[in-house]
Amino acid sequence: MAGLRFDLRDTPPEAPALRAELRAFLAEAGREWTPMVRAYSWMGFDREFTREVGRRGWIGMTWPAAHGGGERTAMERYVVLEEMLAVGAPVAAHWIGDRQSGPLILRLGTEEQRREFIPRIIRGECAFAIGLSEPDSGSDLASLRTRAERVPGGWRINGRKVWTTNAHRCDFMIALLRTEAQPDPKLKHQGLSQFLVDLRSSGLTIRPILDLVGEEGFNEITFDDVFVPDSMVVGEVGQGWKQATAELAFERAGPERYLSSLPLLTAALDDLRAEPAAAEAVGRLLARAGTLRQMSLAVAGMLQEGKAPEREAALVKDVGNDWEQITLPETIRDLLDPARTPPQVTEMLGIITMVARSYSLRGGTREILRGIIARQLGLR
Amino acid sequence: MSDELRTILLEQVDRLLADTVTPALLRGLEQGIWPGALWAEMEGLGLTLALVPDAMGGAGLGWDDAAALWQVLGRHAAPVPLAESMAAAGILAAAGITPPAGLLGLVVPGEAGLPWGRRAGHLVAAGGDSVTLHHPAAAQEGRGAVSRLPFDRRTPGPQVAAAPMPATLGPDAASLAGALIHAAQMAGALEAVLDMSVDYATTRRQFGRTIGGFQAVQQLLAQAAGEVAAAGVAAAQAGRSAARRGLAGAEFEIASAKVVCGEAAGKVAAIAHQVHAAMGFTDEHALHLHTRRLWTWRDACGAERVWARRIGTAALARGGAMLWPDLTARDEGAAA
Ligand SMILES: Cc1cc2nc3c(=O)[nH]c(=O)nc-3n(C[C@H](O)[C@H](O)[C@H](O)COP(=O)(O)OP(=O)(O)OC[C@H]3O[C@@H](n4cnc5c(N)ncnc54)[C@H](O)[C@@H]3O)c2cc1C
């Protein structure tokens, strides 16, 4: 269809053994996870858990051994990701590093950057934040204005980033910054560059922003003459837009784009046996879940082959977001009986009802994704 | 069948259908005009026996190849009941009965009739513990309320052959085959409807530009594209599972495909008509030749509700703790 292909993939031969190992580990680690933890999942920050995951070799699984990586396949990594998400593990302390910052550094970083960051990410000791959005630049990301100016030995940054998830708990951020003033809005994609920014730099202020759930999930970051040495430029100066959009393909490609609210279905299922309407409703949910999983595997397969499935990823994210954000929570809500439902399930539904708003916003809004798909269809 | 051979076969069938299936031919079907030349060509290509093993004179295709072929057929509005005849022959062969020549009707429990039942040379019943081949009783001709296509009541007459139901087909063989056929055909018809809508949106002009330039229209069509992609994946996955584990072992995937393709049919047909507006509401425009099939196939051999209930009932019985392990174990053999 219109140049989009979703070839079916198999999970790798290693999958059964890997799953068994993960399930044993997650059952043990997850003993104390509250409904809040499970509902927050890939936004939930837990360093201790992340270090354990790192110790078991589940961060940087596909990266070269020379840098401490596991040299395993993208499909094996996929198995690890989906197992973590299916139980709502708090993976935020390594998720971004493993998904996009690490791969970016490996692909475009200097040897020095690789040596400095990759082993630390793999050990779960260097957590990354995503520094894209600004107060006046959300969907229109390329309009961003936070500036990096050349100074002897490096760059001086001034401006603001916002909505930076977990920045107050992270170590570094990969920031997309304007290195060349661009008065012509038509040329806004030019003159942008990516930087590794130490979140403990002087002049950098992180102000947590309470989210609607009542958590300090994201932040506002103010740069006031923050110095970043030359050695922290990622890739090429001026090529930031191209680099960042390639990075976004990684961001959009994962199973977190449909699985975020699966723990709610798992938690609620036993309780639904008494509800006559549940069989059909649950069947519809599972029909989609199985299909979305195959679509997501298809994208993982393309990543494995070294392709950049940007459009396929956008499409799967769009269809997946609908399911995890609307279909699943709405279905469960409709089936629950307050007189019967255990409090943990009600609590998880409540949290997911709130958190789910973000699924169709972050990583590109629903409207922006559909714009990408429309372009693929030849409509723009 | 190798990927390469399959691609060649699918392209060949796609070309044949593209050359033959005109709106005039499709309209003729609704007048009861049988496309004999097309059917003869398909028989000539060996398609009716495609699911029959080489040793029995067939092409030895798997259910995955068949599902891919039915998707192509659906893309061209499935002008002949090839899929049903092919599945019936495949089921007979799997039970060890050599399929007779000519159009075979597949008797699906709960269905009020058979597409083009009047032309069936034999009927195949496959449910419970046996597969049987019958001469058909006289046809009671009818037509689909929405499809307006020949849809005839035809009960099995004298039995010609019988065999025990093979375990790989299972007691619901005919229902599962029927669901797989219609899911795959819907996946194909959905592609056609999306293509027509995109074409229309890039040619119809209003307010001085093509309507596809309006963001509201783009968003609708992008949403449709997501549904079409999901339907294609669901149908392919159902075919692959049936090829690997037999119809009986693929119940979850076939049921899922019928649900996902059916839901997509509802949504995408609605979007297509919204985009085509009044022109798409006319008899003259070809859109309805495809959307009326989508609405028909959606309800054929079990609507979404029926298949969703099967999946849901099984999952509820297994419980929350097994939900994810079951979903991931299906293609990983020993795991669970
Ligand atoms: C929980 C959460 C965590 C986040 N974490 C991070 C993070 O770690 N790092 C980071 O950089 N950012 C992060 N973001 C920001 C996120 O990327 C932005 O919210 C997103 O890009 C949209 O920008 P905006 O919120 O400014 O909305 P806007 O761009 O102002 O959009 C508002 C509305 O208008 C629509 N709209 C805008 N432009 C168009 C258009 N051209 N066509 C059609 N509709 C349009 C949008 O779809 C949306 O519905 C996070 C957001 C959330 C909610």
Side-chain angles (χ1 to χ4, degrees), chain B residues 30-75:
Chain B
E30 298 182 15
Q31 314 302 321
I33 301 169
W34 171 248
L38 175 61
W39 180 257
E41 276 214 62
M42 290 186 151
E43 273 194 319
L45 284 171
L47 293 175
T48 47
L49 299 179
L51 274 167
V52 174
D54 311 299
M56 286 174 105
L61 259 56
W63 292 106
D64 50 349
D65 306 316
L69 208 125
W70 299 338
Q71 187 170 341
V72 172
L73 197 63
R75 205 184 291 149

Side-chain angles (χ1 to χ4, degrees), chain A residues 43 129-135 137-140 162-166 218 357-358 361-368, chain B residues 215 219:
Chain A
M43 293 169 273
I130 305 172
L132 296 174
S133 306
E134 296 184 5
S137 303
S139 299
D140 184 11
V162 75
W163 318 130
T164 326
T165 299
N166 284 320
F218 43 26
R357 297 311 110 213
S358 67
L361 300 174
R362 51 184 316 180
T365 69
R366 167 175 293 131
E367 292 71 28
I368 293 300
Chain B
Q215 212 182 39
Q219 297 271 313

Side-chain angles (χ1 to χ4, degrees), chain B residues 229-240:
Chain B
V233 167
Q237 167 70 353
R240 180 172 77 163

